[in-house]
Amino acid sequence: MTSEKIVVVDDEPDILELITLYLHKEGYQVVTCGRGDEVIRAVEVHQPDLIILDVLLPGMDGIEVCRSIRKISNVPILFISCNYDDLDVILGLGVGGDDYIPKPFSPSQLVARVKAHLRRNNMKDSSNNHHVLKFDGLEIDLHSHSVTVRGVETTLSSKEFDLLALLASSPKKVFKIDQLYSQIWGSDSLGDTRTLMVHISNLRKKIEPDPAMPRFIITIRGVGYKFQP
């Protein structure tokens, strides 16, 4: 059995049982929670490698749970929810979620996303890149995963940093949307690019002097994005 541990949070016992079954088949250790107010304790005790988090929960909703987790951990958080409108996606990813999958979902698809996030996280942890990328008013330390904007250190989520580092490491290179999704999330976008678009929007708000008129992250209409040094 793999040593990787996953916390699964959902108030529907059938869904908890289904997800647990499929994760166990892949060799993962699983800890389950049925209420939002149980999650922080579970994270502190079990130190999971990934969290699967429903949005609608008793005790504390998934958005507040995610906010609380981000105060103590950068563990990948994969949201699942039956509500999949743009506002839900923006809220979930805006508070530090890494990905978002709507219900009903294919268990095999969920497992594939879990594997992709864990693989990306392990690759990031094993990297040993020490150099700093410096631009006009923007510094990106690839080793410490820190970003300084006009002299002030700015907090980015794990996926926001990965996205910025990828773009900034290849200035002026145009990345297609599917290419970015594949390299950052480690899986296919399945035709839904909202996760990427929300991360780009959040990133612009944090690093751009004027997010409405981006200086660094440029949209190439109909294609994707590039970093303009």
Side-chain angles (χ1 to χ4, degrees), residues 51-53 55 62-70 73-80 88-101 117 156-161 181 184-185 194-196 198-200 202 206:
I51 299 170
I52 297 173
L53 179 62
V55 173
I63 302 299
E64 289 304 316
V65 170
C66 185
R67 282 198 182 100
S68 298
I69 292 172
R70 282 294 172 250
S73 174
N74 285 322
V75 61
I77 296 176
L78 174 56
F79 274 109
I80 55 174
D88 285 317
V89 176
I90 290 169
L91 283 174
L93 302 180
V95 297
D98 294 287
D99 205 350
Y100 205 112
I101 295 181
H117 280 280
L156 303 185
S157 73
S158 175
K159 284 296 185 291
E160 288 167 359
F161 181 87
Y181 200 97
I184 299 302
W185 281 266
R194 281 181 289 183
T195 295
L196 173 62
V198 171
H199 276 83
I200 290 285
N202 291 339
K206 294 179 179 181

Side-chain angles (χ1 to χ4, degrees), residues 5-224:
K5 187 178 297 181
I6 299 173
V7 168
V8 182
V9 189
D10 201 298
D11 62 336
E12 298 182 55
D14 290 345
I15 291 181
L16 274 182
E17 183 178 355
L18 179 65
I19 294 175
T20 299
L21 174 65
Y22 273 81
L23 292 176
H24 276 163
K25 285 174 62 177
E26 297 296 328
Y28 296 112
Q29 301 178 53
V30 180
V31 176
T32 61
C33 298
R35 296 176 54 90
D37 49 13
E38 300 171 350
V39 183
I40 304 304
R41 177 62 176 164
V43 171
E44 292 174 338
V45 170
H46 298 284
Q47 297 293 307
D49 299 283
L50 183 141
I51 299 170
I52 297 173
L53 179 62
D54 191 20
V55 173
L56 302 177
L57 294 167
M60 180 188 296
D61 67 44
I63 302 299
E64 289 304 316
V65 170
C66 185
R67 282 198 182 100
S68 298
I69 292 172
R70 282 294 172 250
K71 295 176 182 177
I72 60 173
S73 174
N74 285 322
V75 61
I77 296 176
L78 174 56
F79 274 109
I80 55 174
S81 179
C82 56
N83 292 331
Y84 196 50
D85 58 30
D86 288 337
L87 180 58
D88 285 317
V89 176
I90 290 169
L91 283 174
L93 302 180
V95 297
D98 294 287
D99 205 350
Y100 205 112
I101 295 181
K103 295 179 181 179
F105 52 81
S106 160
S108 58
Q109 175 194 340
L110 180 64
V111 169
R113 290 286 181 92
V114 166
K115 288 182 176 180
H117 280 280
L118 290 172
R119 182 169 59 249
R120 287 287 304 167
N121 219 43
N122 291 337
M123 288 172 58
K124 181 173 62 181
D125 289 343
S126 64
S127 66
N128 192 31
N129 199 336
H130 290 264
H131 66 282
V132 178
L133 303 178
K134 295 185 178 182
F135 305 96
D136 183 19
L138 176 66
E139 291 190 8
I140 307 164
D141 190 322
L142 300 176
H143 176 60
S144 66
H145 282 229
S146 61
V147 174
T148 303
V149 180
R150 294 178 289 282
V152 179
E153 187 166 344
T154 301
T155 301
L156 303 185
S157 73
S158 175
K159 284 296 185 291
E160 288 167 359
F161 181 87
D162 291 346
L163 186 56
L164 177 60
L166 176 62
L167 290 167
S169 294
S170 299
K172 297 186 178 181
K173 176 180 177 180
V174 177
F175 287 87
K176 294 181 179 179
I177 291 175
D178 285 344
Q179 183 182 6
L180 284 172
Y181 200 97
S182 176
Q183 292 197 44
I184 299 302
W185 281 266
S187 61
D188 185 76
S189 68
L190 302 176
D192 192 328
T193 60
R194 281 181 289 183
T195 295
L196 173 62
M197 293 173 67
V198 171
H199 276 83
I200 290 285
S201 175
N202 291 339
L203 195 50
R204 282 173 169 162
K205 291 173 184 176
K206 294 179 179 181
I207 71 167
E208 299 282 5
D210 181 1
M213 299 288 290
R215 157 75 178 81
F216 294 112
I217 300 177
I218 309 301
T219 300
I220 308 301
R221 295 193 180 279
V223 182

